[in-house]
Amino acid sequence: MQAMSDTDQTCGMSIAIDVVGGKWKMHLMWVLAEGPVRFGQIRRKLDGVSEKVLAENLRQLEASGVVHRELYAEVPPRVEYSLTPLGRSLNEALEPLEAWGDRHRDEVLSRADVEVP
């Protein structure tokens, strides 16, 4: 029998939250689900995110294997971001969470000072 490492014992929920946790990552997943998109387009769709924070979040999602960054050898250089197959499967897993939010939007927003980006 093999000994389990700390990684083997990590709860699946913890792993998922580590990937999409934070203010912008789930929003990024939503934008990227539409297909390949450039940095400026993402920034326009996510009102309020700074370039620095957006770049950091994209790098983290890329490091997690859920986002692909494609650099085209053009002048000027063009970069597009898209979901990997792993990212698409994660996005599918997030759909029920979005549906819950849609169903309970009014109730949740009426009970608390919830800031919706």
Side-chain angles (χ1 to χ4, degrees), residues 6-20 90 93:
D6 287 342
T7 305
D8 294 333
Q9 296 178 23
T10 303
C11 167
M13 181 67 78
S14 295
I15 292 169
I17 289 173
D18 283 348
V19 173
V20 296
L90 177 57

Side-chain angles (χ1 to χ4, degrees), residues 21-29 46-50 53 57 117:
K23 181 174 181 178
W24 295 106
K25 288 182 184 169
M26 281 199 254
H27 297 291
L28 275 166
M29 297 288 294
L46 296 179
D47 190 37
V49 66
S50 70
V53 169
N57 279 265

